[in-house]
Amino acid sequence: MLGALASAEDLGIYRVAYQLAMAAGIGLLAAKAVIAPRFARSLTPDAQEDMGQVRWDAIKSCLIFSLPLCTILLTVPELILSFLFGSEFTEAAAAARILALTIIINSLFGPIDVELQVRRADRSLLVAAVLRVALYLGLVAVLITPFGITGVALAQLLSTTLWCLVMLLSLRQSKQVQALV
């Protein structure tokens, strides 16, 4: 959609910001990969590990791995963009900041999607994903003209936050989660 609504130049600039943010999010992906078996074990009747502790460990892991690069992207994205890609890419600084914030918010929720998968809450995952995509597409359509690539990054931030909140509400409604620490 971005390709249809933005220039090739804007698309290239946004891609650089997006890739930097995704690099910052590698820790979140790594935590998701290793935490699923612990979530599954904590759901068994003879569980040795409390689900709340597993969740908290996962959130800490996500933050430990994503905060360093996200902090750099929040504070000095112009420096990083200029150093890695050239001064013409410093236009992506605002988008990089917003996308870094998106990674931090996602990390604060931890691998909530993995927990829903382990709990076999497929319907909740589907609803959250559909709402996320619908909001993202709607916001991109509305925000790209007045805000350019910054609007696209805002759409990513808001749709990711909604996605996490919907999944959290789904866990809470299932009454299987008393408190998310």
Side-chain angles (χ1 to χ4, degrees):
M1 183 168 180
L2 179 58
L5 298 175
S7 69
E9 180 182 341
D10 285 344
L11 185 59
I13 290 170
Y14 182 78
R15 185 169 184 250
V16 165
Y18 186 81
Q19 287 177 328
L20 281 175
M22 291 305 100
I26 291 292
L28 178 61
L29 294 175
K32 286 181 178 190
V34 299
I35 204 67
R38 285 184 63 198
F39 274 144
R41 279 193 304 272
S42 69
L43 289 172
T44 62
D46 59 336
Q48 299 286 321
E49 202 168 14
D50 175 55
M51 177 64 88
Q53 186 60 48
V54 173
R55 187 180 306 108
W56 180 240
D57 289 348
I59 291 169
K60 287 189 296 188
S61 295
C62 292
L63 289 169
I64 286 168
F65 287 109
S66 60
L67 272 179
L69 188 50
C70 284
T71 301
I72 292 168
L73 287 176
L74 283 169
T75 56
V76 289
E78 296 89 354
L79 180 68
I80 300 300
L81 290 161
S82 179
F83 178 74
L84 292 175
F85 303 104
S87 60
E88 62 274 9
F89 286 95
T90 58
E91 289 180 47
R97 281 186 175 103
I98 294 167
L99 293 170
L101 183 59
T102 303
I103 297 297
I104 292 170
I105 288 171
N106 199 350
S107 295
L108 286 169
F109 280 90
I112 196 167
D113 53 330
V114 174
E115 185 173 352
L116 284 169
Q117 287 171 346
V118 169
R119 292 178 183 273
R120 299 182 187 267
D122 297 334
R123 189 170 299 156
S124 297
L125 286 166
L126 178 62
V127 168
V130 167
L131 288 173
R132 179 185 188 181
V133 170
L135 180 62
Y136 176 76
L137 293 175
L139 287 173
V140 167
V142 170
L143 297 175
I144 195 166
T145 300
F147 301 108
I149 63 171
T150 303
V152 177
L154 282 169
Q156 184 72 23
L157 171 68
L158 295 172
S159 63
T160 299
T161 303
L162 173 73
W163 178 63
C164 291
L165 288 171
V166 169
M167 290 188 293
L168 176 63
L169 289 173
S170 174
L171 278 175
R172 286 194 179 245
Q173 277 186 338
S174 71
K175 297 184 183 177
Q176 295 172 346
V177 176
Q178 286 75 28
L180 291 175
V181 180

